[in-house]
Amino acid sequence: MSEDRIPEHLELGGAIELVRCADLRAGWSVADVRATYSPERFSLPAGLATLREAWRERNPQERSDPKLAWREFRRDERGRLVCSLQPTAWDEVRPLHESPPSDLAKVLKRLPQGYEMLVPNIGVVHVIVATSDGWILAIRRSDSLHYHPGAWSATYEEGLDPSDLDADGVFHRAARRGLAEELVPGAEQMSLDAFRVVSVIFERPIVNPAAVVIANLPMTQREILKRPPSDELDASSVLAIPLDEKVLGDVVASSVPDLGSRSGKWHPTARYRLLVALAHFFGEEAAAAAERRISSRAGS
């Protein structure tokens, strides 16, 4: 592996990289993503169905809302992201998240240039926001959430919705919708060109895939934060990280957020998102240098 490249299938924090855009500077635009949809429900395989029944017994009052799941994803011969999606439900996925298998071979099947999911999951985007005045935002997640309460996210996460399938750019649309719901009212009118998918990752410990999206917004930090974030994000806790190669590299290399007098932990995929943002804005050599610092600390 060249020293100016980050390793393939990088693992950082709780993120395991599965498929990466060949050009992290550019990322995948709407035109670079091909998504198909099959209406067949994606359910737990027979050998894991008892997990669903046990979960229902423990949570008799919890709703099982419909969800969208990844089935396959790969990079094609032209370098585009190609994927297929299927419907699933909360009670198919939540039991698996609460009792994730330790053997990834039970969850993933390797394909040429990609993977097939063997179990249902919640299709999501993990979005990192960069502002027009040179900041990246990290926001603390609410203590009331199912997943990673109180963790610092870079910047937010959003589940796929059937409405995102109405036109091309399913992951870009989900990222834009999440921006409108979490941070910026009216963001639904923003151009999808502001969003770039850069990779597909696997989030531990909940064995769930996610598309990583960089949102390079035509808005300042002040404009974005002039209204408090949603109930899922803690409005009192926002970190603005300078979009500077050295500073961002230092933040990525730290295993905990630099919060001054505040304590906290990273969302499992936050540091990975920051690392690919480093590559997106400053080149892969800068990201590779930060990754070597992380590897050196882990080995010391």
Side-chain angles (χ1 to χ4, degrees):
M1 173 62 64
S2 169
E3 288 200 348
D4 62 356
R5 298 276 296 174
I6 52 180
E8 293 288 336
H9 305 298
L10 174 70
E11 295 189 29
L12 180 57
I16 303 174
E17 184 183 77
L18 301 177
V19 178
R20 181 195 305 168
C21 183
D23 183 356
L24 288 173
R25 282 277 204 177
W28 283 304
S29 68
V30 170
D32 299 321
V33 178
R34 298 288 185 272
T36 59
Y37 175 76
S38 169
E40 181 183 359
R41 181 177 168 120
F42 194 1
S43 299
L44 283 166
L48 295 174
T50 55
L51 289 177
R52 178 180 57 239
E53 305 314 316
W55 182 86
R56 286 174 174 170
E57 288 182 7
R58 295 193 307 270
N59 303 276
Q61 303 303 317
E62 192 159 345
R63 294 187 343 187
S64 181
D65 293 335
K67 301 293 180 182
L68 278 180
W70 298 75
R71 190 56 187 253
E72 295 185 3
F73 44 93
R74 61 183 174 85
R75 200 172 72 187
D76 72 7
E77 66 281 355
R78 294 175 56 183
R80 298 174 300 184
L81 177 62
V82 178
C83 59
S84 61
L85 303 169
Q86 288 182 225
T88 190
W90 179 250
D91 65 357
E92 299 286 354
V93 182
R94 182 63 181 170
L96 191 65
H97 287 180
E98 292 182 356
S99 304
S102 57
D103 183 1
L104 290 186
K106 296 180 179 179
V107 177
L108 282 175
K109 177 182 177 181
R110 187 70 185 265
L111 302 174
Q113 301 300 314
Y115 293 87
E116 176 188 358
M117 290 297 301
L118 302 178
V119 295
N121 55 86
I122 298 175
V124 294
V125 290
H126 288 191
V127 186
I128 184 166
V129 166
T131 70
S132 61
D133 55 343
W135 299 91
I136 281 179
L137 300 182
I139 302 178
R140 186 180 180 276
R141 290 169 59 84
S142 168
D143 289 326
S144 64
L145 296 179
H146 273 293
Y147 299 99
H148 318 301
W152 286 84
S153 177
T155 303
Y156 63 91
E157 299 76 42
E158 184 64 32
L160 302 184
D161 186 87
S163 65
D164 300 322
L165 295 166
D166 291 344
D168 291 339
V170 56
F171 307 118
H172 305 75
R173 291 178 183 279
R176 183 175 65 180
R177 178 172 48 77
L179 181 68
E181 293 174 3
E182 306 291 357
L183 287 171
V184 183
E188 298 95 334
Q189 306 306 314
M190 189 176 294
S191 171
L192 292 176
D193 288 338
F195 303 88
R196 286 291 187 272
V197 179
V198 291
S199 64
V200 179
I201 61 172
F202 201 66
E203 180 191 337
R204 285 187 180 272
I206 63 170
V207 296
N208 204 80
V212 176
V213 180
I214 294 176
N216 195 9
L217 302 185
M219 307 175 68
T220 66
Q221 174 196 172
R222 183 179 297 275
E223 288 172 326
I224 291 173
L225 297 178
K226 65 183 178 182
R227 136 185 128 110
S230 73
D231 291 341
E232 293 192 1
L233 300 175
D234 182 349
S236 65
S237 300
V238 178
L239 292 178
I241 304 168
L243 192 53
D244 172 89
E245 181 177 344
K246 181 181 183 307
V247 173
L248 193 52
D250 289 343
V251 173
V252 170
S254 176
S255 60
V256 294
D258 182 7
L259 305 176
S261 61
R262 293 172 291 177
S263 61
K265 60 183 179 181
W266 287 121
H267 179 283
T269 71
R271 290 173 71 203
Y272 173 86
R273 279 180 263 178
L274 291 165
L275 185 72
V276 291
L278 188 60
H280 180 76
F281 290 105
F282 300 104
E284 196 166 344
E285 186 175 0
E291 192 278 330
R292 288 195 298 273
R293 290 172 61 189
I294 296 168
S295 298
S296 175
R297 290 181 180 181
S300 62

